[in-house]
Amino acid sequence: MATTQSLYGSDTAITITVNSLANGSARESTAIDNTSDLFIDAFLYVAVTLAAGTPSGGIDVYLYASEDGTNYDYNALGTDAALTLPATASRQFVFMGRIPTATAGGLVWKKTFGSVASAFGGMIPPKWGVVIDNQSALAFAASGNSVKYRGIKAQTA
């Protein structure tokens, strides 16, 4: 009798320029094309180093999608670019979660977010991307920041 198991892909960097991202600013990633890899799910990992100082608030992480690679959620373009978020960002994009930063600046804040597919209602869209919204009261450091994902497929053994 066959058993279905998870087959984890390699960590894949997401193209998004978050180094030196100012407080109150947001950035979208280049869209991830899932039409060839055909991952059934993915984990998302974000690591951010804050500049020195006293943070408050946190770093909000959202997802955006496109079913055709042309029309993206709200005002996303599918490119690594600055993004103006509306006050209703949590209703325009899929909210993955917040990385709280309420101790000291100069530290690295890391978080692995669970199922990307669950965030989208059970399936990863053909094209998807990440939005990072810096609400920490500090700028991100000039280096040491990363956003990546690890795709998951099913295999029968």
Side-chain angles (χ1 to χ4, degrees):
M1 178 179 226
T3 302
T4 301
Q5 302 170 328
S6 296
L7 175 64
Y8 295 96
S10 302
D11 279 343
T12 303
I14 297 174
T15 303
I16 183 169
T17 306
V18 292
N19 290 339
S20 303
L21 186 66
N23 177 58
S25 297
R27 188 129 188 132
E28 71 172 287
S29 74
T30 298
I32 296 137
D33 184 349
N34 194 44
T35 61
S36 58
D37 287 325
L38 303 175
F39 291 121
I40 60 170
D41 207 348
F43 291 116
L44 178 66
Y45 174 81
V46 177
V48 173
T49 303
L50 294 178
T54 304
S56 62
I59 301 155
D60 292 330
V61 178
Y62 299 94
L63 300 176
Y64 70 85
S66 173
E67 55 81 30
D68 63 3
T70 301
N71 300 298
Y72 291 92
D73 294 341
Y74 188 60
N75 60 349
L77 301 172
T79 60
D80 178 14
L83 184 66
T84 301
L85 292 179
T88 60
S90 62
R91 290 186 296 220
Q92 305 299 328
F93 298 106
V94 177
F95 183 66
M96 280 299 285
R98 174 171 265 217
I99 303 171
T101 58
T103 54
L107 300 175
V108 180
W109 299 93
K110 303 173 190 175
K111 183 164 178 83
T112 300
F113 295 92
S115 173
V116 170
S118 290
F120 284 116
M123 296 185 75
I124 293 180
K127 309 271 180 149
W128 63 279
V130 178
V131 175
I132 304 291
D133 182 17
N134 182 4
Q135 297 297 321
S136 69
L138 298 173
F140 292 0
S143 64
N145 305 296
S146 66
V147 181
K148 58 187 177 180
Y149 73 97
R150 180 180 294 257
I152 304 165
K153 293 183 178 183
Q155 68 179 355
T156 304

